[in-house]
Amino acid sequence: MNFLSLFLLVATYNYPLCKGNEDPWSFIVLADPHIAETFASKGKTHPWYISAFEKHLNSVEIIKADYGGDLVLIPGDTNKGMWYRPDFAEEKLGNDALTPAEAVAIASHGCYGTLKEIFEKGGYNKLMVAIGDHELGGNGWTLRGRKRSVLDDFRHGFQLELNRDENGLFLYKKSIGNVSSRPLGTSYKETSYAHQHKNVLFVTVDCFHDKGYEFQDNAQGLGGEGTVTVTVEGTHLTWFKSVLQEARQDSSIKHIIVQAHVPILQPVRKINSSGQFFDFGSDSQFWKTMEEYNVDVYLAGEVHATTVSKQKDSNVLQVVSRGNQFSNFLSIQVTNETLTIQAFNEVGVDSHEYVQYGELVVDKKGKYTQIEAEGVLKPVSVDSALIRFDFETTLPLNEREVVGLWHDTGPISSMITMRDTECFQAMENRGELGRE
C-alpha cells in the first residue's frame, strides 16, 4: 500500500514505559448515527419500533462479525431530540398534558434504553456516547425557551440509560490515579467521564456549556446558539487536565483518546450539517490542554463528513467522521505502540457491504511519532489550496460519489436537481478538501 508519510516535529514525551506488549485489539467509532429516534416515541409492540430494532440490530451484528471490536464510541447525535415540543407530546406520545420534562423522561427511556440494548445484543457490551446537540434538543437554546428549561432533564435521561448499570450505579466510576473518573460538582458529572480499557484511556466530554445568557461575539466568532455554547472551562476543564496529568504517570496507559461532539480544528468537510464549532478552536484551553499532555486522538462528529486535521507543531490528531444510519464507520486497531484507523463506506444503501476508503497509522515506536495516511484519512493541509478547479475536466455524476451527499435517487446517481436545474456532470475539486 502506498502511503503519504508525515513526520511530526514534536518528540514523543518520555513518560513511564511498561514492559510487555498488550495483545492487539480494536474498537468501532460511529459518529452521528441518528438511528434511535423511533424508539423515543414508539412502544416495543409498534411495527415501526420492531422494524427499526431488527434493522439496526442486523447492522450491529454484521459490523461485529466482520470487523470485531471490544467496544463502540459514539461522538454524539443518536436521535433528533425535539422531545420538549408540545407537538411531540401530543402527536408522538399521545398525551398533550405532559410537561416538557415528563416528555423528555419518557423519550429518553425509550431512545437510549433501546440503543444500549441493540448494541449489547449485537455483541458490544461497552457503549460510550458523548452528548451531541441533538441529545440536548438540537441547537440553539434561547434564554427563556422551553428547550433550555429542560437541559438538566435531557442530561439526566441520557445518563440514566447509557451510563448506569441495572442497579443504578455509574458504570465508569474507577478513578484515574488519584482523580475522580468524572467532574463531580459540575453539570457534567454524569455525562463527562474517563475510563481505561486495556492500554487506552478514553475520555468522553460533554462540551455544551450553558452560560446563562444569550451569547454571541461576532468579532471573535464565538457562540451564536443562544445561551449554550461549545466550550470546556472552569472546574470541568480543571478536572480534564487532572485526568490527563494522572494518565501520563500511569505506565499501563499507552494512548489517550478523547471524544466530544464538535470539531475544534477548522476547516473540516461538511455535508447537511449546521456545522457548530468549538469556541476559540485551537486557541481554546481545552485544545491546549490536549496538546500539553500529548493526547493522541481527538474524535468528533457533527458535520456528517470525514476529515483528519493536524497542526505542524502538535502531535494531537483530530479525526472527524460520520456514521449516519451505519453508512460509514471507523475501525481503530490498537497495540502498545501503534493506532491504525480505517474508514469504511457502505456500497449503496442498506447493503451492509463496506469498502475501505482511508487508512491512517500512528506509529510511536521511535523518538518521533510517525503518521502514514491515505484516502479520506489523509490529513488536510491548511497551507495548501482547499478548493481548486481547472474548469476544464468534468465527470459524470455516477463516477464521482460524494460520501453523504444524497442525489435524486440515492447516494450515487447520474442526475441531481439543484435550484430547479438538472445536473449530470461535476467538476472535480483538486484541492485539499477533495470531493466534499
Side-chain angles (χ1 to χ4, degrees):
M1 183 176 291
N2 293 320
F3 289 104
L4 167 74
S5 295
L6 300 171
F7 294 89
L8 305 189
L9 300 177
V10 181
T12 303
Y13 282 58
N14 293 317
Y15 293 117
L17 297 177
C18 180
K19 294 181 180 179
N21 291 312
E22 179 75 43
D23 289 337
W25 63 280
S26 67
F27 63 95
I28 300 296
V29 180
L30 189 72
D32 298 73
H34 291 287
I35 58 172
E37 183 64 28
T38 299
F39 312 124
S41 60
K42 305 301 179 187
K44 292 191 173 184
T45 59
H46 194 285
W48 291 1
Y49 182 106
I50 295 170
S51 175
F53 189 98
E54 292 176 350
K55 175 184 176 181
H56 298 322
L57 176 58
N58 185 43
S59 296
V60 174
E61 289 175 334
I62 289 172
I63 291 174
K64 179 67 175 180
D66 293 348
Y67 301 94
D70 286 15
L71 56 90
V72 174
L73 298 186
I74 298 180
D77 280 6
T78 59
N79 54 66
K80 291 182 179 178
M82 290 186 266
W83 309 332
Y84 61 92
R85 294 167 48 141
D87 58 347
F88 179 83
E90 180 180 2
E91 298 173 13
K92 300 295 186 180
L93 298 180
N95 186 352
D96 60 3
L98 292 172
T99 66
E102 290 169 338
V104 167
I106 293 170
S108 296
H109 176 68
C111 174
Y112 302 125
T114 305
L115 182 72
K116 187 175 182 179
E117 181 183 358
I118 286 172
F119 279 91
E120 286 180 345
K121 286 190 172 182
Y124 295 104
N125 292 320
K126 190 174 290 186
L127 174 67
M128 293 187 281
V129 186
I131 287 277
D133 59 289
H134 284 280
E135 277 74 29
L136 300 177
N139 57 320
W141 300 265
T142 57
L143 180 62
R144 294 179 177 82
R146 183 181 288 108
K147 191 193 311 182
R148 178 175 179 259
S149 73
V150 291
L151 280 176
D152 289 343
D153 301 285
F154 274 119
R155 285 191 168 99
H156 181 70
F158 173 92
Q159 65 85 27
L160 200 62
E161 302 296 335
L162 291 176
N163 295 345
R164 294 188 179 273
D165 64 19
E166 62 274 9
N167 297 315
L169 299 176
F170 199 78
L171 287 169
Y172 310 106
K173 58 190 176 184
K174 185 178 180 180
S175 297
I176 308 303
N178 295 316
V179 177
S180 171
S181 64
R182 50 198 179 114
L184 300 174
T186 74
S187 299
Y188 318 100
K189 62 183 180 295
E190 295 166 328
T191 51
S192 286
Y193 55 88
H195 172 70
Q196 183 178 351
H197 181 86
K198 296 184 177 178
N199 57 352
V200 174
L201 178 69
F202 293 99
V203 188
T204 296
V205 178
D206 176 352
C207 60
F208 292 87
H209 177 66
D210 187 354
K211 297 185 77 70
Y213 58 91
E214 300 274 352
F215 174 66
Q216 184 167 355
D217 185 334
N218 291 334
Q220 298 190 79
L222 309 177
E225 296 290 354
T227 67
V228 176
T229 193
V230 182
T231 186
V232 176
E233 57 186 52
T235 305
H236 195 193
L237 179 64
T238 300
W239 165 81
F240 179 65
K241 183 173 183 177
S242 298
V243 165
L244 299 186
Q245 284 177 327
E246 289 293 311
R248 284 309 183 196
Q249 300 305 314
D250 187 336
S251 62
S252 68
I253 295 174
K254 300 304 181 183
H255 312 283
I256 300 177
I257 295 175
V258 177
Q259 71 161 342
H261 184 56
V262 173
I264 296 175
L265 300 182
Q266 298 285 349
V268 294
R269 300 176 179 98
K270 182 180 74 171
I271 295 177
N272 297 329
S273 167
S274 62
Q276 199 165 8
F277 48 84
F278 204 103
D279 286 353
F280 293 109
S282 60
D283 290 327
S284 68
Q285 289 303 305
F286 182 66
W287 182 263
K288 289 181 180 298
T289 299
M290 289 197 288
E291 289 183 319
E292 181 180 357
Y293 293 98
N294 213 30
V295 166
D296 294 284
V297 177
Y298 172 70
L299 296 169
E302 165 64 16
V303 292
H304 305 163
T306 300
T307 308
V308 174
S309 307
K310 192 195 78 65
Q311 295 179 307
K312 285 184 177 179
D313 58 349
S314 171
N315 268 357
V316 186
L317 275 173
Q318 174 178 277
V319 180
V320 181
S321 63
R322 58 175 275 122
N324 304 56
Q325 300 293 322
F326 294 102
S327 60
N328 299 84
F329 64 90
L330 303 178
S331 173
I332 302 184
Q333 290 86 49
V334 183
T335 70
N336 271 347
E337 297 176 318
T338 63
L339 294 169
T340 301
I341 307 174
Q342 296 173 327
F344 292 92
N345 179 40
E346 187 177 32
V347 178
V349 180
D350 294 334
S351 69
H352 298 120
E353 179 185 347
Y354 296 95
V355 294
Q356 183 179 326
Y357 72 127
E359 180 169 293
L360 184 150
V361 178
V362 180
D363 188 337
K364 298 160 66 176
K365 294 188 187 77
K367 181 179 179 181
Y368 293 92
T369 297
Q370 179 180 334
I371 295 175
E372 297 177 336
E374 69 167 13
V376 73
L377 295 179
K378 172 186 171 183
V380 169
S381 172
V382 296
D383 296 323
S384 302
L386 300 176
I387 299 175
R388 181 169 63 88
F389 298 104
D390 60 16
F391 296 100
E392 295 178 2
T393 305
T394 60
L395 296 170
L397 279 179
N398 59 4
E399 294 181 8
R400 184 184 175 278
E401 179 187 10
V402 177
V403 175
L405 181 63
W406 198 264
H407 296 267
D408 288 359
T409 58
I412 303 176
S413 174
S414 60
M415 186 269 287
I416 185 171
T417 303
M418 302 184 69
R419 298 179 181 177
D420 298 324
T421 301
E422 293 183 346
C423 304
F424 299 89
Q425 293 183 311
M427 289 185 293
E428 182 178 4
N429 175 23
R430 299 178 183 272
E432 284 290 306
L433 291 181
R435 295 180 179 183
E436 289 81 2

